[in-house]
Amino acid sequence: MRTTTTRIAGATLAAGAAMALSIGPAFAADAWVSANLKPVAGSDVAGSGTAMVEVDGNRITVTMAANGLLPDNPHAAHIHFGAEARHECPVLSDDKNGDGHLNTTEGGPAYGDIVVSLTKTGDTSPKSGLAIDRFDTAPGGKLTYQRGSIKVSDAVATAISAGQSVVVIHGVDHNKDGKYSGATKSDLDPKLPTEATDPALCGALRVAPAGGMHTGGGLPTDTLKSGGTNDALLLVGGGALVAALGSGAFAARRARSRA
């Protein structure tokens, strides 16, 4: 098993593509969905990222990476869904108070309520939506996240599998002072400035087209230059390589846990 895992981790793009064609039903999850994370309108963020979710019954595995975030500050991140939502990222016309920025509530009609809190440890329910001490702090402005066996309701699993959910990373720096500050308070917690909870990056989790996989947006230039293998694998835009590597890695992990 260690040999298999090593081969997967060291695969080239060509090998990854070949693997994507050869993965058998034993490695298949109920659904794979992926999202390209882009700046929310009015957020003043210049970052990007990728998120992928594997759905297996009512358990999900989430892999996510992003850059261009406010460095060394906690960034709450969630999967959102609402039956009445548009199942997409908000646009500037959702800015109801006309301040040129979107807060979390204003984005609600687009992406819905929190259904999964992407905390690093502990509870992942909506109750942990503002568990600031358990979210990634984006060292150097880069966020990397992977967590498996997150339990969700059948309804949430169905919504994610159907491509009706949205990933949102929160935390902006409108005044460019390098911290969460400002007189405007958060719509979620008046003890926090709005910068701490305003949406920064967003991406709708979509199902791969029939007979294919998402191609995504490729690797950010700074990731390619850094040569960071882990970052590169996380930031490939949901294409064949990541799907192959992800399926193999998760399968290997499940096999080890069953041994």
Side-chain angles (χ1 to χ4, degrees):
M1 187 58 65
R2 290 178 180 174
T3 302
T4 301
T5 304
T6 301
R7 288 175 181 170
I8 292 172
T12 62
L13 180 61
M19 194 182 302
L21 297 175
S22 63
I23 290 173
F27 288 166
D30 292 342
W32 276 93
V33 292
S34 64
N36 287 328
L37 306 178
K38 298 179 181 180
V40 173
S43 66
D44 302 316
V45 172
S48 62
T50 296
M52 295 191 303
V53 180
E54 174 195 27
V55 182
D56 192 353
N58 66 343
R59 301 272 177 177
I60 64 172
T61 295
V62 181
T63 303
M64 179 172 63
N67 58 24
L69 297 166
L70 178 61
D72 309 313
N73 281 268
H75 289 270
H78 315 103
I79 297 176
H80 290 252
F81 166 72
E84 303 302 320
R86 303 195 305 264
H87 310 145
E88 64 186 24
C89 294
V91 293
L92 206 53
S93 59
D94 291 312
D95 173 28
K96 299 306 180 186
N97 64 9
D99 66 355
H101 306 300
L102 293 169
N103 61 32
T104 301
T105 301
E106 289 172 330
Y111 47 62
D113 295 329
I114 296 170
V115 292
V116 181
S117 297
L118 299 178
T119 55
K120 297 172 68 175
T121 60
D123 176 63
T124 56
S125 76
K127 294 179 181 179
S128 292
L130 289 179
I132 300 301
D133 59 326
R134 291 189 285 117
F135 288 106
D136 196 289
T137 56
K142 294 183 178 181
L143 179 153
T144 58
Y145 178 89
Q146 185 177 57
R147 186 168 179 181
S149 198
I150 298 173
K151 188 175 181 178
V152 298
S153 69
D154 291 343
V156 169
T158 297
I160 294 173
S161 299
Q164 297 178 337
S165 61
V166 179
V167 170
V168 182
I169 299 176
H170 301 260
V172 302
D173 185 18
H174 294 311
N175 59 15
K176 306 301 180 185
D177 66 353
K179 59 184 179 181
Y180 297 141
S181 62
T184 304
K185 299 302 181 183
S186 166
D187 55 314
L188 302 182
D189 184 346
K191 296 189 296 294
L192 298 173
T194 193
E195 288 188 341
T197 59
D198 282 359
L201 297 178
C202 177
L205 289 164
R206 298 303 190 210
V207 183
M213 296 181 180
H214 288 303
T215 56
L219 294 176
T221 302
D222 61 344
T223 301
L224 292 171
K225 289 181 179 178
S226 70
T229 302
N230 291 336
D231 285 350
L233 293 178
L234 286 169
L235 285 169
V236 171
L241 176 60
V242 171
L245 294 177
S247 296
F250 298 146
R253 189 165 58 248
R254 284 198 293 267
R256 287 197 297 270
S257 67
R258 293 171 182 169

